[in-house]
Amino acid sequence: MKLQRMNRRALTLGALAVSGALALTACGSDDTGSSSGSSSSATAAAGSIKCDDAKGQLLADGSSAQKNAIDAWVKNFTQACSGVQVNYKGSGSGAGVTAFTQGQVAFAGSDSALKPEEVTASKSVCSGGQGIDLPMVAGPIAVAYNVSGVDDLVLDASTIAKIFDGKITNWNDKAIAALNPDAKLPDLKIQPYHRSDESGTTDNFTKYLIAAAPSDWKYSGGKAWQAKGGQSASGSSGVAQGVKQTSGAIGYMELSYAKDGLGVVSIDTGASAPVKASSDGATKAVAAAQVVGTGSDLSLKLDYTTKADGAYPITLVTYEIACDKGNKSATLPATKAFLRYIASTEGQGILSGIDYAPIPDAIISKVRTTIEGLS
């Protein structure tokens, strides 16, 4: 979300997050944390960012889901480290990984871990090393809708799958009505929106549908949308804009984009109560994740079928992708300083104030150790 919407506490941590912005800009996004402070503490926070020998321009591309976090981090980081210019294009996870494996960016941000063939491709860029996944920021994928007069909507995995696969086409469908007995559902056509670009958000959203509604979602999944029909738009911002402009629309997007009048679906997971999309809910979901990467790689396996109270199942983790060895000498000081910051308590602290979620301590501590070993 925009910095002007952050409260003064979040702004304080924003200064600290600045250094995180550099790393995210180059590769991805970071974790969460607490926010605190005033304008004077923001100044102190900026002063605590270690710029080291960072200088020059840092180019990065990738996940649009983390773009709002990166914008906040970059602003703060570049205020503290005036010798560095960070340019992060939120072109989508697929574009970011491609740019990284082609040597066009210092880091990439991706909402999906590197595939084996992408790791292989990265070895031509990372001299003597390879690309690794560093989980830096978590976030709930909101299912947002535009239906006048319906303020609280509950859906389950099966119903969501049927909506996005064109099997449920009207808002007063009996399946939706059964989950929302008190809602006044209109006789209105459903207009589902999906991503037109290759996206880690799509990958995670469909992983949820595959895991939680296997009998209703028969597609193999991946970064490219596979179901037929519906409307499409580029980036999380494009999907959000399409839903806002279309009566009866529904779409999936990172929570910070689900603003300005959009309703957000609560998910019936089988827990004691439907779960709303929130930073806390995402953190609870990621806390149960398993590290499945090997060596320096810290890719995670999430449980999309969780029934734990308060755990939001449609959650993504954005990875900062960097070389473990063989980083370009011209950008290594800047990328390392940035990553160190965004993985720090201070850098993580900005996230919960802007609708992202922190990476749990047990995981982010491993990320910090890995960053120190980048060369």
Side-chain angles (χ1 to χ4, degrees):
M1 80 194 310
K2 296 180 179 179
L3 286 178
Q4 57 261 43
R5 295 184 181 178
M6 297 169 58
N7 57 30
R8 297 183 67 181
R9 288 183 71 190
L11 285 172
T12 298
L13 288 175
L16 291 171
V18 144
S19 56
L22 185 51
L24 288 176
T25 292
C27 64
S29 87
D30 183 9
D31 187 39
T32 123
S34 53
S35 46
S36 66
S38 61
S39 58
S40 60
S41 60
T43 301
S48 71
I49 294 173
K50 295 180 179 180
C51 303
D52 295 332
D53 298 322
K55 58 183 178 181
Q57 187 177 52
L58 208 58
L59 299 179
D61 197 0
S63 165
S64 66
Q66 69 170 359
K67 184 65 164 58
N68 289 333
I70 289 179
D71 287 347
W73 277 322
V74 169
K75 179 177 180 179
N76 292 330
F77 184 89
T78 53
Q79 285 175 345
C81 304
S82 58
V84 179
Q85 180 183 357
V86 179
N87 182 3
Y88 180 87
K89 295 180 180 179
S91 302
S93 297
V97 171
T98 297
F100 178 75
T101 57
Q102 293 180 349
Q104 299 172 359
V105 294
F107 298 91
S110 178
D111 306 322
S112 300
L114 291 169
K115 296 178 180 178
E117 61 269 26
E118 293 168 340
V119 173
T120 299
S122 73
K123 293 180 179 180
S124 64
V125 175
C126 306
S127 179
Q130 65 181 45
I132 57 172
D133 301 290
L134 300 174
M136 283 290 189
V137 61
I141 299 173
V143 180
Y145 64 96
N146 178 1
V147 181
S148 179
V150 180
D151 299 325
D152 296 302
L153 186 69
V154 175
L155 296 176
D156 58 15
S158 175
T159 306
I160 294 171
K162 291 175 181 177
I163 287 173
F164 281 90
D165 197 25
K167 300 298 192 296
I168 293 177
T169 60
N170 201 286
W171 280 107
N172 64 358
D173 187 275
K174 61 182 181 180
I176 301 176
L179 291 164
N180 299 273
D182 297 327
K184 295 181 179 180
L185 299 169
D187 182 6
L188 177 68
K189 182 180 178 181
I190 297 175
Q191 303 274 7
Y193 271 79
H194 60 266
R195 291 282 288 271
S196 60
D197 54 322
E198 288 201 354
S199 161
T201 306
T202 294
D203 191 14
N204 284 273
F205 180 65
T206 54
K207 281 179 179 176
Y208 161 72
L209 296 177
I210 291 168
S215 62
D216 299 304
W217 193 258
K218 299 296 186 179
Y219 304 96
S220 61
K223 294 177 183 176
W225 184 257
Q226 296 172 322
K228 305 300 181 183
Q231 308 293 326
S232 66
S234 178
S236 293
S237 59
V239 172
Q241 189 64 25
V243 175
K244 289 176 186 177
Q245 294 177 345
T246 307
S247 177
I250 187 170
Y252 58 92
M253 65 201 73
E254 198 278 327
L255 179 60
S256 67
Y257 292 90
K259 304 295 180 183
D260 302 329
L262 289 182
V264 177
V265 171
S266 294
I267 307 298
D268 183 349
T269 64
S272 61
V275 184
K276 294 182 179 296
S278 69
S279 296
D280 287 346
T283 299
K284 289 179 180 178
V286 176
Q290 296 178 325
V291 176
V292 294
T294 59
S296 299
D297 187 88
L298 296 173
S299 56
L300 303 175
K301 181 179 180 180
L302 301 176
D303 180 8
Y304 296 100
T305 62
T306 179
K307 293 179 173 59
D309 285 346
Y312 186 75
I314 321 177
T315 293
L316 61 77
V317 171
T318 299
Y319 299 95
E320 312 315 327
I321 297 172
C323 298
D324 57 355
K325 298 177 182 178
N327 288 280
K328 294 179 180 178
S329 59
T331 54
L332 177 59
T335 56
K336 199 167 180 177
F338 178 74
L339 289 173
R340 180 184 294 121
Y341 173 73
I342 62 174
S344 71
T345 300
E346 294 81 6
Q348 308 263 325
I350 193 175
L351 296 178
S352 58
I354 51 174
D355 293 325
Y356 293 92
I359 300 297
D361 290 343
I363 298 172
I364 200 65
S365 63
K366 295 179 181 178
V367 172
R368 292 167 183 157
T369 299
T370 301
I371 290 169
E372 294 307 317
L374 298 181
S375 62

